[in-house]
Amino acid sequence: MSIIQVEGLKYKYPDTDQLALDDISFEVKQGEFIGLIGRNTAGKSTLCFALSGLVPHFFNGGYGGKVFVNGLEVRQHEVGDIAAHVGLVFENPFSQMTASKYTVFEEIAFGLENMGVERNEMITRMDESLDLLDITSIKDKHPFDLSGGQMQRVAIASVIAMKPKILILDEPTSQLDPQGSEEVFKVVENLTKEGITIIMAEHKIDKLAEYADKVALIDHGKLIDFDTPAKVFSRDDLPDYGITAPTATRIGKALGIKDSKTDLFPVTIKAISREIGDKL
Amino acid sequence: MSTMTLYVDKKSFIHHVAPLTKLLYVMVSIAITYIIPKLEFVLFVTLTSLLILAIGKVFRKILPILALSILLIISIIIVQGFFHPENQTVLYSIGFITFYKEGLTFAALLTLRVLNMIMSFGILILTTKHDELVEDLIKKGMSPKIGYVLLSVLQLIPQMRATMGKITDAQRSRGMETEGNLLVRVKAFFPLIVPVVLNSLHNTRERAIALEVRGFNTKMKKTFLNLSKEYQYTKTIQSILWAILIVTIAWRILS
Ligand SMILES: Nc1ncnc2c1ncn2[C@@H]1O[C@H](COP(=O)(O)OP(=O)(O)O)[C@@H](O)[C@H]1O
Ligand SMILES: [Mg+2]
């Protein structure tokens, strides 16, 4: 069974005329890493909101179709209930801090306190999250005393401690320096090993090509393509959607290197070297 | 760390009094200065607050706030000293300025009340962990939303400072001078403050979303990471405070 199921999802923000999401359908299996790509205003954030229940519960507006996450129909449940199944992390690490706690450890407790998790269980889960995100060493620091990359990992840990089956990340690295971005990608890869399903909107195409099992291409609220990175990045019309293919794909195209099994262009440097290695 | 909160981490008897007991002190000490509007009595209450601040080893921390309120106090003295409606007894005149006894007495009373208010709140804020106070209030039935607002207001300053630091970095990396003599800093300040304010407005909306997805609005019963601390003498001190309040009210009614 699919852990995420979206059927004919349509959505329009209040007081707007255009559909922000236009008849979107797709399914995701447990443990998959899905990359979400598309130009600015394509509808990536809106889709992330729809998967976490903020659309339609927080943003209101016109809504049609159905979204199921871990068996729950999003429209029928409150955001707080969905939070136990779906975690959401977004761009700005700073505004994800509650601004009401004095240490990273207490910051991570916030969601668990709200959900009424018993104290011992709370501490066990928090220690696990600290470990998973590699931030145990900063647990006594003030949340505002951290670097962007550290703060973003605290934001992820806060959400992971709530034990969601699905983690949605909306451009989590776009305000981080290269080192901070690298840290975030590393821990997200770690999470997939824990069986957590990942949906990640991201502009760093090379990184997505490396980590994603599938890529969803969105434009003007429509799902243009939903397939393996190799298939999606082989499309000739990517520039029409404001997307530049991964470096490896462009090199492959320029040099005429294709994956011998799939007859598609490579999406990672590793795939290129494999092909060249085979030929040599 | 220490710059991130107004709480002063010291060891003193006052630090070992339960947060809600200190809150009760704030309320009682302010209330009685209105119940018994006698100069000597209000002076006594104010000196008590001062003494408690000293025992709590936080007297020096209150000085900047007292300094800030000097302006308010001076204006009270001038306005009341000159213009109090019951002014009759001339105390002394300098040129055309005349001070009246009634006005000055009233000004002194107001001043002491203000000082006592600042100092008693100072006792609470400077010697109590804010989250502990707020959690105690939530356990007593206060809405967690109000609790959140209180805590986040107390974090406004560190928050602004963090944003400011981030934006200064960004401006510096774009070649703007942010360090050096006063003029350079003032010049850098204004382009800085606009993004800081805009940023906070934007952050507020995003933060609302972040709180939402961390279950802030669920109707479930909250649990707490921090354990309730055990305090000594809570009953005794609270009883004394209630007794003082009742006695002053009785005195007021009977006299
Ligand atoms: N709160 C909102 N109110 C009205 N329209 C919005 C709101 N947020 C986004 N939109 C619009 O919805 C569309 C999709 O935006 P968004 O999902 O943020 O795109 P992306 O994340 O891909 O950049 C855009 O046209 C945008 O202007
Ligand atoms: Mg977006």
Side-chain angles (χ1 to χ4, degrees), chain B:
Chain B
M1 251 316 275
S2 61
T3 52
M4 289 292 187
T5 164
L6 292 168
Y7 169 69
V8 186
D9 194 8
K10 289 204 173 145
K11 283 201 170 21
S12 81
F13 177 74
I14 307 303
H15 284 74
H16 286 290
V17 173
L20 292 183
T21 310
K22 281 183 259 189
L23 183 61
L24 183 64
Y25 175 80
V26 175
M27 294 191 293
V28 170
S29 86
I30 293 174
I32 58 180
T33 61
Y34 285 86
I35 296 172
I36 303 184
K38 281 205 178 288
L39 197 55
E40 302 79 9
F41 177 74
V42 176
L43 179 66
F44 174 74
V45 175
T46 310
L47 288 176
T48 308
S49 293
L50 189 96
L51 182 69
I52 296 175
L53 275 175
I55 297 173
K57 300 179 185 165
V58 289
F59 177 66
R60 262 196 296 159
K61 291 278 169 183
I62 202 87
L63 287 179
I65 305 169
L66 289 181
L68 276 179
S69 58
I70 284 288
L71 215 66
L72 174 70
I73 291 168
I74 291 177
S75 58
I76 291 177
I77 293 178
I78 292 177
V79 171
Q80 297 298 339
F82 293 160
F83 306 118
H84 191 66
E86 283 162 25
N87 277 347
Q88 266 182 358
T89 327
V90 176
L91 216 54
Y92 51 83
S93 329
I94 314 163
F96 61 94
I97 305 171
T98 312
F99 282 100
Y100 295 91
K101 184 166 177 249
E102 291 79 5
L104 277 186
T105 311
F106 191 72
L109 190 67
L110 270 186
T111 303
L112 287 174
R113 277 178 185 157
V114 170
L115 288 178
N116 179 59
M117 219 178 272
I118 294 170
M119 290 196 290
S120 58
F121 267 112
I123 295 167
L124 180 69
I125 298 294
L126 297 172
T127 70
T128 312
K129 287 199 170 140
H130 306 156
D131 42 353
E132 195 187 341
L133 171 68
V134 168
E135 285 179 8
D136 282 357
L137 285 168
I138 292 174
K139 285 171 194 163
K140 286 269 180 226
M142 186 179 74
S143 136
K145 283 188 191 140
I146 295 176
Y148 173 79
V149 171
L150 288 177
L151 283 177
S152 61
V153 165
L154 287 166
Q155 291 235 12
L156 268 180
I157 295 163
Q159 197 178 323
M160 286 279 183
R161 195 187 303 125
T163 320
M164 197 92 91
K166 203 174 73 183
I167 293 171
T168 323
D169 283 349
Q171 290 181 334
R172 204 179 295 142
S173 74
R174 291 184 185 91
M176 198 165 129
E177 290 284 345
T178 53
E179 273 164 50
N181 67 36
L182 194 65
L183 187 68
V184 173
R185 285 192 204 197
V186 170
K187 268 201 220 150
F189 181 72
F190 288 99
L192 189 62
I193 203 71
V194 175
V196 167
V197 171
L198 287 181
N199 214 305
S200 341
L201 289 179
H202 185 66
N203 280 342
T204 308
R205 182 193 157 83
E206 280 189 5
R207 184 158 293 134
I209 296 178
L211 295 181
E212 190 78 16
V213 296
R214 281 165 74 187
F216 188 51
N217 281 315
T218 50
K219 287 165 200 83
M220 268 175 260
K221 188 155 167 44
K222 257 177 84 87
T223 47
F224 296 92
L225 171 67
N226 296 323
L227 293 168
S228 301
K229 276 201 208 136
E230 296 291 329
Y231 289 98
Q232 288 179 313
Y233 314 120
T234 299
K235 281 241 169 67
T236 320
I237 303 175
Q238 290 195 0
S239 313
I240 295 173
L241 287 168
W242 284 116
I244 292 173
L245 185 65
I246 292 165
V247 168
T248 52
I249 293 172
W251 185 89
R252 174 70 187 256
I253 294 169
L254 297 176
S255 64

Side-chain angles (χ1 to χ4, degrees), chain A residues 39-46 48-49 91 170-171 201 203:
Chain A
R39 70 178 101 232
N40 282 332
T41 77
K44 302 182 295 297
S45 298
T46 310
C48 293
F49 293 154
E91 189 178 339
D170 186 8
E171 303 193 25
H203 285 297

Side-chain angles (χ1 to χ4, degrees), chain A residues 230-231 234 253 256-266 275 279:
Chain A
K231 284 247 179 68
S234 290
K253 275 192 179 175
I257 303 169
K258 279 192 171 183
D259 186 315
S260 41
K261 285 190 212 97
T262 58
D263 203 36
L264 293 168
F265 291 112
E275 286 309 313
K279 285 200 182 105

Side-chain angles (χ1 to χ4, degrees), chain A residues 22-205:
Chain A
D22 190 354
D23 200 14
I24 289 191
S25 304
F26 66 98
E27 286 186 22
V28 179
K29 287 194 205 71
Q30 165 149 20
E32 281 186 321
F33 185 136
I34 311 294
L36 206 52
I37 60 169
R39 70 178 101 232
N40 282 332
T41 77
K44 302 182 295 297
S45 298
T46 310
L47 182 56
C48 293
F49 293 154
L51 292 172
S52 50
L54 290 162
V55 160
H57 299 297
F58 185 85
F59 287 97
N60 305 318
Y63 190 91
K66 281 190 170 140
V67 176
F68 294 91
V69 288
N70 203 21
L72 259 64
E73 199 200 334
V74 164
R75 200 180 188 176
Q76 310 294 339
H77 293 82
E78 289 178 16
V79 178
D81 299 337
I82 298 167
H85 304 263
V86 184
L88 176 65
V89 170
F90 41 91
E91 189 178 339
N92 184 349
F94 185 73
S95 60
Q96 292 176 86
M97 300 296 110
T98 60
S100 70
K101 299 288 191 181
Y102 293 93
T103 66
V104 165
F105 199 62
E106 293 169 350
E107 175 71 32
I108 295 173
F110 183 84
L112 304 177
E113 293 181 320
N114 289 332
M115 288 171 54
V117 175
E118 186 264 326
R119 186 169 178 272
N120 286 331
E121 163 79 7
M122 194 188 286
I123 292 173
T124 312
R125 286 202 204 176
M126 286 160 62
D127 285 335
E128 275 171 22
S129 309
L130 285 168
D131 195 37
L132 215 50
L133 276 293
D134 196 17
I135 46 175
T136 310
S137 59
I138 54 168
K139 79 185 174 76
D140 294 321
K141 281 196 154 193
H142 193 285
F144 290 154
D145 246 356
L146 306 175
S147 73
Q150 289 173 326
M151 247 190 236
Q152 192 63 292
R153 281 186 287 158
V154 171
I156 299 175
S158 307
V159 164
I160 285 300
M162 296 167 81
K163 288 230 184 274
K165 288 259 168 56
I166 303 162
L167 178 65
I168 299 173
L169 303 109
D170 186 8
E171 303 193 25
T173 69
S174 59
Q175 294 196 9
L176 304 183
D177 57 18
Q179 193 197 336
S181 308
E182 193 54 41
E183 288 167 7
V184 168
F185 270 103
K186 282 244 171 67
V187 299
V188 170
E189 197 194 9
N190 251 348
L191 296 177
T192 57
K193 289 179 192 149
E194 299 284 311
I196 297 176
T197 308
I198 307 277
I199 311 274
M200 185 180 205
E202 183 57 69
H203 285 297
K204 299 193 172 78
I205 295 292

